Amino acid sequence: MDSPYSETVMDHFMNPRNVGEIKDADGVGTIGNPACGDIMQMFIKVENDVIVDAKFKTFGCGAAIASSSMATELIKGKSINEVLKVTNKAVTKALGGLPKVKRHCSVLAEQALQSALNDYYKKEGIPSPVKMKSEEEILAE
Ligand code: FES
């Protein structure tokens, strides 16, 4: 049977990058999908407005694991301003696509990142430019 997943998705599922947590993280975001029960947690370390490290822990499906792995790869080394533009679409594109029924898994990665950024801004005492979006809002974009 042909796999509905790209080689990149399978690679990030079988060999996920940046698994774990950052003990002294500058931002932590935790997001769950009530429909499937999957949970994603993202940790970011920020220095001079640059994401110098990112890690994740995902209790979820293969597409969610691949999405969080790719999301952490996409944001590492980028400035916060660049990271603010990283969406689920960017994650999905970098993964070589996801089956339509699995698009919500990449949404979790965007929401976990938004949540971690909000936590970072809160800890810094800076008003956050990030507006948390629902799955419906993200998928409608
Ligand atoms: Fe829940 Fe993939 S099935 S995130």
Side-chain angles (χ1 to χ4, degrees):
M1 193 180 92
D2 285 344
S3 169
Y5 297 108
S6 71
E7 275 179 31
T8 310
V9 171
M10 290 309 294
D11 179 33
H12 278 261
F13 168 54
M14 303 294 278
N15 310 291
R17 284 46 152 197
N18 312 309
V19 176
E21 58 186 274
I22 300 174
K23 292 276 182 232
D24 58 344
D26 296 309
V28 183
T30 306
I31 289 292
N33 182 316
C36 64
D38 290 353
I39 298 168
M40 189 181 291
Q41 193 166 35
M42 196 172 289
F43 304 81
I44 54 171
K45 188 85 194 143
V46 184
E47 276 171 26
N48 300 323
D49 285 337
V50 171
I51 308 279
V52 291
D53 199 9
K55 290 199 183 298
F56 78 92
K57 291 200 292 189
T58 293
F59 178 83
C61 72
I65 290 167
S67 295
S68 31
S69 170
M70 182 57 85
T72 51
E73 284 288 90
L74 287 179
I75 65 173
K76 272 169 74 171
K78 290 214 169 81
S79 71
I80 293 250
N81 278 343
E82 288 174 289
V83 167
L84 286 168
K85 294 178 212 141
V86 173
T87 62
N88 82 306
K89 280 201 185 72
V91 172
T92 307
K93 190 172 170 210
L95 285 171
L98 280 172
K100 201 170 176 203
V101 291
K102 288 288 177 183
R103 275 172 56 211
H104 75 272
C105 314
S106 64
V107 168
L108 268 191
E110 180 175 333
Q111 290 174 320
L113 176 58
Q114 289 173 343
S115 176
L117 288 168
N118 269 336
D119 187 45
Y120 163 73
Y121 282 113
K122 193 170 155 199
K123 284 180 174 144
E124 289 290 303
I126 305 169
S128 176
V130 182
K131 178 190 167 288
M132 289 296 295
K133 292 184 206 149
S134 68
E135 181 180 318
E136 292 71 27
E137 287 174 308
I138 291 171
L139 287 176
E141 284 175 347

